[in-house]
Amino acid sequence: MAAGSAAGRSAGASAARRAQQARRQERLLREQWQAARQRAERWEAASEGEQRVAAQLLMLTERGWRLLVDRRWPGTRAANVDMLLIGPGGVFVIDVKNWRAAPEISGVRLRAGGFSRDEHRRKLLAVTKAAESAVASLGMSPVAVRPLLAFAGHRVDAELGRVRLQGEREIGPALLSERTRLSGESVRALTEHLARVFPEYLAPPPAAPSPPAATSQDAATRPPDAGSDGLFDLDGLREAALDEARRAPIEQWMTFLDPDQLALVRRNWAGPARISGPAGTGKTVIALHRAAYLAQRTNGRVLYVTFANNLPRVQATFLKTMAPAVADRIDFRSLHSWAQEYLRDRGIPVHLHKEKAETAFSFAWKHLGRNSCLTEIDPQHPYWREEIDYVIKGRGITSFEEYAALPRRRRRAGLRRPHRRAVWSLYEAYEEERIERAVHDFNDVLSLALAEAAGRTGHSGYTAVVVDEVQDLTLVGVRLLHALVGDTPNGLLLVGDGQQAVYPGGFRLSDAGIDIRGDRGQVLRANYRNSKEIVDTALSVVADDSFEDLDGLRTPGRRDVDLTYHDGEVQRAVHPTPAAHDEALLTALRGLTPQELAGSAVLCPGKRAIEHYHRLLTRAGLPVCSLDRYDGHPVEAVKLGSYRRAKGLEFKRVYLPQHDTPPPTGCPDGRTPGETAHERAELARSQLYVAMTRARDVLWLGSVRG
């Protein structure tokens, strides 16, 4: 009983302490609320509703937010902006409404009390555009500027397009839950900049006793003086923002963009557009911000598509972090998974079966290929399977005469007419075997989808399509995506770089009927990811491999880039045996902190090497996350995957074990005829170049040389 009584007294005391703490917290909140209300009441010209909303927002200033109240709309004589709120979650342009009737959303319009109030939404969007232009001079993405209608006296939590609707009680908690975009110094600098662009509309309120500097609110409501220690020059703020992003986890996408990148995000294009450039120039960053920008300004959906299966998951996570308000209106998909769903929704049967399709090709090779003239060029069937996949079916070729006259882009082996006839016979035999088994291959899925979409050009339900890593798609795939939106303004954006192609075959955009004219074709040259040492090391791999890009221009392997990052380094580990090499890799990884390990990747050329290093790392007790399952959320584990799976991603540290081991020739005797061997080697170098350029701070290159 004594023990029970003691336990009861202990529990009672604990409950009393918690109650006392809750009362103290309640008193503190009440004091903060009263102080905020008193400060809000000093804006004598403001309505009571504005004062109540301002009091709620002033509570946020305890958490690092800044509030500008009653500002002049730049470029106008009499128009004003109720409030600008700047904080860790971004910039919010706020219009306060004190309506008797509750707001209603009718389709895409705003109503209240039976009347249209949509002019208020349109005005707020126009003011928001002015705010976007103001912060653009600092290199800030428009996705970080949000319009918000605040309703005094009503409980509201809704969205109308990109405009957020919040009641006075909902606005504070909603903004506090925003993901962190900006540091404290960035918030202060942006506030000072916006205070100049949006000057005070009325005379400033009477001064009040200043609270402690750490929680001062009044400074946020006055334009700063010229001597403010928080004043940043524009270049300095851009550089500070870039440094801040580099210190953050690699998955935390940048809110700030280079001014040239930002201009591309906001540009109005009259038709299909393309962005290209070497690795590290920010093509995917622009593509993601562009998708969010378009989603904010249209009522339709945006399709963001790429070839790889893993990349859409990662990109969807990045965009949800960057622009959660529009994330549900952007579909991130791999091309083939999207095409299968597209056909299924239209009642078109798809019988995709990779293994049965491979069996069909094996039978065709056994009966028509193995003893044909094709073995003079390459005796191994993978080369000829690629010829069918990427050249014939990938380009939608339907007759021998068309194939006989076709330039086989990025295929080095010259095929005379008898060889092409033998390839065509192999293709026809494969199709017969495949049809007999009632299965489709991946190319069939795209061809079926293209046939369905071709008659419905521009009527797909998507207002825009963004294609990342376009160089890895087949011509049929590009035609399919073009058919979804046609040549509508701002409809199709193609992002990619021919030098980073990791699959055989090729095409020109003109082959797909896509005409990129004038400034709708943009080439980026500033590298934001890699240091000179890493860039030079990667370019040395492909220096002698000129390539034909999608515009048909021949481009040298060593391209000039403007470097903006200078801290990365290359570490070489050369050892006499594979065991010593692998131990050196383990030593390097064991020396990392959990946070450093989270930003690291071990990349391999193929499946066998991936399996080997997965066993090695797990046996050593190192946490491993496969790139096939990585979804973009930070995880304290080293990423492990192939060079191909790393496309579109970046890591602070990249480890390439046995990176200079020659790729297998594919022949039992170790020999491969010259032209196809050169083709394989060139493709392997392109893949290695991609892997090397994923590294930002450290590129670790392992070698075994006995």
Side-chain angles (χ1 to χ4, degrees):
M1 289 292 293
S5 299
R9 287 194 300 273
S10 177
S14 177
R17 283 195 299 273
R18 288 197 297 271
Q20 189 177 15
Q21 290 170 355
R23 286 193 292 273
R24 281 201 300 268
Q25 182 69 19
E26 181 183 3
R27 284 197 300 272
L28 177 62
L29 289 173
R30 286 183 180 277
E31 290 171 1
Q32 290 177 349
W33 163 254
Q34 291 296 335
R37 185 66 187 268
Q38 290 170 7
R39 288 195 295 273
E41 288 171 353
R42 290 203 301 274
W43 291 299
E44 296 175 356
S47 69
E48 181 183 353
E50 285 179 310
Q51 291 177 2
R52 292 203 308 270
V53 173
Q56 292 283 348
L57 297 180
L58 281 168
M59 294 279 286
L60 298 181
T61 58
E62 301 288 340
R63 305 289 185 90
W65 293 73
R66 300 266 182 130
L67 183 64
L68 301 174
V69 177
D70 206 11
R71 317 301 292 191
R72 182 178 300 137
W73 185 350
T76 67
R77 288 187 176 182
N80 75 311
V81 181
D82 285 346
M83 300 176 189
L84 293 169
L85 183 69
I86 307 97
V91 176
F92 289 82
V93 183
I94 301 174
D95 188 10
V96 180
K97 298 302 176 188
N98 198 15
W99 297 348
R100 290 185 178 180
E104 303 170 358
I105 296 175
S106 176
V108 295
R109 299 189 180 279
L110 180 65
R111 299 179 64 83
F115 297 96
S116 173
R117 300 294 183 93
D118 210 47
E119 72 275 7
H120 299 281
R121 178 185 66 88
R122 291 193 295 269
K123 175 190 172 185
L124 178 59
L125 288 173
V127 180
T128 302
K129 190 173 183 180
E132 289 176 352
S133 298
V135 301
S137 61
L138 303 178
M140 190 176 188
S141 170
V143 302
V145 182
R146 296 283 308 281
L148 194 156
L149 280 170
F151 294 92
H154 295 288
R155 300 190 73 91
V156 186
D157 188 1
E159 290 187 355
L160 179 56
R162 66 176 301 210
V163 178
R164 195 165 181 173
L165 282 63
Q166 303 271 196
E168 66 177 72
R169 293 182 180 274
E170 288 78 25
I171 191 169
L175 293 177
L176 279 177
S177 67
E178 285 288 320
R179 295 177 182 270
T180 299
R181 297 176 181 276
L182 307 174
S183 69
E185 289 192 347
S186 295
V187 169
R188 181 172 55 183
L190 277 168
T191 304
E192 292 173 350
H193 180 64
L194 289 171
R196 287 176 168 79
V197 176
F198 292 81
E200 283 188 307
Y201 184 70
L202 298 173
S210 297
T215 60
S216 175
Q217 320 307 331
D218 293 325
T221 67
R222 298 194 305 268
D225 56 39
S228 171
D229 61 359
L231 182 60
F232 279 62
D233 63 275
L234 301 189
D235 291 338
L237 179 56
R238 283 194 291 265
E239 187 61 32
L242 193 58
D243 288 342
E244 179 184 332
R246 285 169 175 153
R247 288 193 299 270
I250 205 73
E251 292 88 351
Q252 185 172 315
W253 214 252
M254 288 192 300
T255 296
F256 285 87
L257 299 173
D258 178 273
D260 293 335
Q261 293 177 320
L262 184 57
L264 295 180
V265 170
R266 296 160 57 92
R267 181 162 296 182
N268 184 34
W269 278 307
R274 185 192 174 205
I275 297 174
S276 61
T281 51
K283 297 182 294 298
T284 295
V285 176
I286 294 173
L288 285 170
H289 281 81
R290 176 70 174 178
Y293 181 80
L294 293 174
Q296 286 179 338
R297 282 154 180 78
T298 63
N299 294 321
R301 301 191 67 78
V302 176
L303 175 62
Y304 192 111
V305 67
T306 189
F307 181 82
N309 288 323
N310 64 314
L311 197 52
R313 293 194 304 270
V314 177
Q315 292 166 328
T317 298
F318 287 165
L319 189 130
K320 190 171 183 179
T321 300
M322 182 180 73
V326 298
D328 62 344
R329 292 201 291 112
I330 304 175
D331 295 335
F332 286 89
R333 302 295 298 273
S334 68
L335 177 58
H336 288 96
S337 69
W338 176 85
Q340 288 181 70
E341 184 175 308
Y342 178 77
L343 292 169
R344 186 168 55 250
D345 290 345
R346 284 153 182 79
I348 300 173
V350 176
H351 305 290
L352 181 64
H353 199 296
K354 180 181 177 182
E355 290 75 17
K356 288 184 178 180
E358 289 176 348
T359 299
F361 180 80
S362 296
F363 271 90
W365 175 256
K366 178 181 178 180
H367 293 119
L368 280 177
R370 189 166 59 183
N371 297 316
S372 72
C373 62
L374 297 180
T375 59
E376 301 170 2
I377 296 175
D378 196 314
Q380 300 300 305
H381 69 79
Y383 185 84
W384 304 110
R385 178 63 192 269
E386 290 173 351
E387 183 77 9
I388 291 173
D389 282 344
Y390 293 99
V391 180
I392 296 178
K393 299 189 75 168
R395 291 177 62 91
I397 304 300
T398 58
S399 71
F400 170 69
E401 292 305 324
E402 187 180 3
Y403 174 60
L406 182 73
R408 299 166 60 253
R409 306 193 188 285
R410 297 216 322 259
R411 300 288 272 177
R412 285 180 172 270
L415 299 185
R416 298 188 301 275
R417 189 175 181 88
H419 296 115
R420 297 202 185 206
R421 174 64 73 181
V423 172
W424 193 258
S425 297
L426 178 64
Y427 159 68
E428 290 182 324
Y430 164 60
E431 287 295 281
E432 289 177 4
E433 294 282 354
R434 182 187 61 76
I435 292 171
E436 182 178 333
R437 287 167 173 78
V439 297
H440 294 122
D441 61 22
F442 287 106
N443 282 295
D444 296 323
V445 173
L446 300 187
S447 296
L448 288 169
L450 175 58
E452 175 68 14
R456 308 163 59 96
T457 298
H459 300 281
S460 64
Y462 289 108
T463 58
V465 175
V466 179
V467 187
D468 200 2
E469 305 290 353
V470 63
Q471 74 280 353
D472 289 336
L473 272 57
T474 63
L475 179 61
V476 170
V478 174
R479 284 174 176 162
L480 168 60
L481 296 170
H482 183 213
L484 299 182
V485 289
D487 294 330
T488 57
N490 301 313
L492 181 65
L493 175 62
L494 305 171
V495 179
D497 173 34
Q499 190 173 32
Q500 298 180 67
V502 296
Y503 296 96
F507 58 89
R508 293 177 179 175
L509 291 179
S510 58
D511 299 333
I514 299 175
D515 185 10
I516 305 294
R517 296 186 178 183
D519 69 350
R520 287 193 277 121
Q522 294 287 324
V523 181
L524 307 178
R525 304 192 184 281
N527 185 309
Y528 299 93
R529 180 193 303 150
N530 312 123
S531 68
K532 184 178 188 303
E533 185 178 3
I534 292 176
V535 168
D536 287 346
T537 301
L539 286 176
S540 68
V541 173
V542 295
D544 298 328
D545 298 332
S546 63
F547 65 96
E548 183 179 297
D549 212 342
L550 301 184
D551 54 11
L553 296 178
R554 201 72 192 171
T555 305
R558 185 177 287 278
R559 289 184 283 177
D560 292 332
V561 294
D562 300 325
L563 301 176
T564 67
Y565 188 56
H566 307 286
D567 294 336
E569 62 173 321
V570 176
Q571 298 176 358
R572 297 183 184 273
V574 182
H575 295 275
T577 65
H581 165 280
D582 289 354
E583 186 58 37
L585 174 63
L586 291 177
T587 300
L589 294 174
R590 284 171 177 145
L592 302 179
T593 66
Q595 293 75 22
E596 290 171 335
L597 202 65
S600 301
V602 174
L603 304 179
C604 307
K607 182 179 179 181
R608 182 175 298 178
I610 293 172
E611 292 173 347
H612 167 74
Y613 285 104
H614 188 274
R615 288 192 300 270
L616 181 75
L617 298 180
T618 53
R619 287 173 181 170
L622 290 166
V624 178
C625 174
S626 170
L627 282 185
D628 288 332
R629 292 191 291 271
Y630 175 55
D631 65 1
H633 288 97
V635 54
E636 291 184 351
V638 62
K639 314 305 183 297
L640 175 64
S642 68
Y643 296 170
R644 291 178 178 180
R645 282 287 183 261
K647 293 206 66 177
L649 304 175
E650 67 176 74
F651 307 94
K652 292 184 178 181
R653 295 166 182 80
V654 168
Y655 298 82
L656 304 182
Q658 300 193 48
H659 76 287
D660 50 0
T661 301
T665 64
C667 285
D669 59 4
R671 294 182 296 105
T672 301
E675 289 179 315
T676 56
H678 289 316
E679 189 175 318
R680 284 192 180 93
E682 184 175 338
L683 195 60
R685 288 193 293 271
S686 179
Q687 294 170 357
L688 179 58
Y689 167 77
V690 167
M692 287 181 169
T693 53
R694 301 308 95 192
R696 201 190 71 188
D697 296 335
V698 174
L699 173 60
W700 187 94
L701 299 177
S703 302
V704 176
R705 296 175 191 166

